[in-house]
Amino acid sequence: MNIAQIRRDFPILHQQVHGHPLVYLDNAATTQKPRQVLDALENYYTQDNANIHRGVHTLSERATASYETSRQKVQDFLGAQHAHEIVFVRGATEAINLVAHSLGRSLLRPGDEILITEMEHHSNIVPWQILRDETGVKLRIVPFDQSGTLLLDEFDKALNEKTKLVSVVHLSNSLGTINPIEEIIQRAHARGIPVLIDGAQSAPHFRVNVRELDCDFFVLSGHKLYGPTGIGVLYAKTEWLDRLPPYQGGGDMIRSVSFEKTTYNDLPYKFEAGTPNIAGSIGLGAAVDYLKSLGLEAIAAHESELLQHATARISALKGVRLIGTAEQKAGVLSFVIEGAHAHDVGTILDQEGIAIRSGHHCTQPVMDHYGIPASARASFGLYNTVQEIDALVRGIQKVSEVFA
């Protein structure tokens, strides 16, 4: 990929922070937006702004067409069989809450079990805890080892006749671990157990095909896919969307309403209550176009090179310990520096113009596993360069000198 040319698509990158060129390495939290996405948002609000599915005037029809075209783009991006299997939501968190709420209300009984892992983001823990407290289902947790590799033997031991769903992260936002979800799905399906994949971190970084994976549910967030905030996707097989009851009521999710009875709309509108994030959906479609124009394989290869370079250089630094060293990893590098709190690390690096994430990364069980309160995390995107990694290394060396 021509990184210099790609960087010209991202106007936010061309600024200085505290007198230094911005080095943005916080892509696991959110990615920056290319001009193509910004233009799509501006065009909608300046040319087509109208509500969808309910107007016969030109603006409404144009907005509706753009909204539904974006759905088809996401369908193609994920390899889904039908466009109606793509439900627009606010983000991966809402998508998991939708499944937890609808599944819990309709198909789960006290004593049923939900299987998750020790490396889940809070958004794939808390919804199931709420469900547990409301319905009496149980949570079972699959551990990982010190390298950050999921223990598949423990996964097999946890599966039983009470397991009603496996919900697992594809790519850990704090460890960088890529879980073997093909194997996980096959083992769960062999017992007739459906699988939800949290793809918030994976979808922006390498090719995902939900039909090849044969997952039952897949969730992602638009803002981590170089799209706008407040938009995300729930992919679900048609059979599941047919079985699950609506998550919220009102707006597009109804077909007819009387005081005696409401009938629900067709898929996917049954799950899209109220006026949706129209601009966000259109912006997400533009982001998908952008990623496809670059090629997910090329993006993955570039970010893998960045990770290898960063791992080699940072692991060689005295007093620095990497958190998460699994064999299968993507562009996330968490670390702790001896004698320095992660927040101090982030603050000092910010003074050098380097943006990283400091904290527990909404994965406190992962921090507990390693006995640390927090870590510093550099996460790479398609526009990052080897030179930026080297700037990070110099920044870490400065932190070490301050706390020596």
Side-chain angles (χ1 to χ4, degrees), residues 291-362:
L291 291 176
K292 289 185 69 176
S293 72
L294 299 179
L296 269 295
E297 289 79 6
I299 293 170
H302 171 65
E303 293 178 1
S304 178
E305 290 178 5
L306 295 177
L307 177 65
Q308 291 177 30
H309 182 75
T311 301
R313 292 216 57 191
I314 295 176
S315 62
L317 297 176
K318 185 180 179 182
V320 179
R321 177 164 64 104
L322 298 182
I323 304 297
T325 56
E327 187 174 339
Q328 298 298 322
K329 283 192 64 175
V332 173
L333 200 65
S334 292
F335 57 93
V336 294
I337 300 177
E338 187 176 338
H341 191 281
H343 288 165
D344 294 325
V345 175
T347 299
I348 293 174
L349 290 178
D350 177 61
Q351 293 301 309
E352 301 297 315
I354 302 168
I356 64 162
R357 173 78 180 265
S358 301
H360 53 62
H361 319 302
C362 297

Side-chain angles (χ1 to χ4, degrees), residues 47 52 76 83 109 126 151 224-225 344 377:
Q47 300 296 322
I52 58 172
D76 181 64
R109 300 292 179 267
V126 179
L151 297 174
K224 294 178 180 177
L225 200 77
D344 294 325
R377 182 189 70 188

Side-chain angles (χ1 to χ4, degrees), residues 88-106:
F88 285 130
V89 290
R90 288 183 298 165
T93 299
E94 185 177 49
I96 295 172
N97 275 275
L98 189 162
V99 175
H101 188 82
S102 296
L103 194 70
R105 286 169 55 196
S106 59

Side-chain angles (χ1 to χ4, degrees), residues 70-225:
S70 288
R71 194 190 308 277
Q72 293 167 359
K73 291 177 180 178
V74 175
Q75 174 202 354
D76 181 64
F77 181 72
L78 292 178
Q81 185 170 6
H82 305 290
H84 67 242
E85 293 177 324
I86 304 299
V87 179
F88 285 130
V89 290
R90 288 183 298 165
T93 299
E94 185 177 49
I96 295 172
N97 275 275
L98 189 162
V99 175
H101 188 82
S102 296
L103 194 70
R105 286 169 55 196
S106 59
L107 299 174
L108 299 183
R109 300 292 179 267
D112 288 344
E113 296 182 356
I114 306 291
L115 196 65
I116 61 175
T117 80
E118 191 183 10
M119 67 176 74
E120 299 304 322
H121 189 279
H122 293 168
S123 61
N124 200 24
I125 299 174
V126 179
W128 307 114
Q129 289 177 328
I130 293 172
L131 184 66
R132 176 197 63 192
D133 296 342
E134 290 178 348
T135 68
V137 302
K138 296 181 179 178
L139 274 183
R140 299 198 67 169
I141 316 299
V142 180
F144 59 85
D145 65 17
Q146 280 304 97
S147 75
T149 303
L150 196 66
L151 297 174
L152 284 181
D153 289 346
E154 296 298 322
F155 175 77
D156 288 334
K157 293 177 185 175
L159 292 176
N160 62 59
E161 68 281 358
K162 296 180 181 178
T163 310
K164 300 304 179 186
L165 179 74
V166 171
S167 188
V168 60
V169 66
H170 195 173
L171 164 56
S172 165
N173 72 312
S174 56
L175 299 171
T177 302
I178 302 174
N179 279 321
I181 57 169
E182 297 90 343
E183 186 71 24
I184 288 170
I185 292 167
Q186 289 173 8
R187 295 186 188 194
H189 281 184
R191 292 172 171 263
I193 301 166
V195 180
L196 183 153
I197 302 298
D198 176 358
Q201 296 294 340
S202 61
H205 301 293
F206 50 81
R207 177 178 174 271
V208 170
N209 186 296
V210 293
R211 266 191 293 176
E212 291 176 1
L213 291 173
D214 195 29
C215 58
D216 301 275
F217 305 94
F218 188 93
V219 306
L220 63 82
S221 290
H223 72 98
K224 294 178 180 177
L225 200 77

Side-chain angles (χ1 to χ4, degrees), residues 262-294:
T262 294
T263 57
Y264 303 128
N265 207 341
D266 296 331
L267 299 177
Y269 311 116
K270 185 174 82 171
F271 295 99
E272 294 183 356
T275 295
N277 184 352
I278 303 167
S281 304
I282 294 170
L284 178 58
V288 166
D289 285 341
Y290 186 76
L291 291 176
K292 289 185 69 176
S293 72
L294 299 179

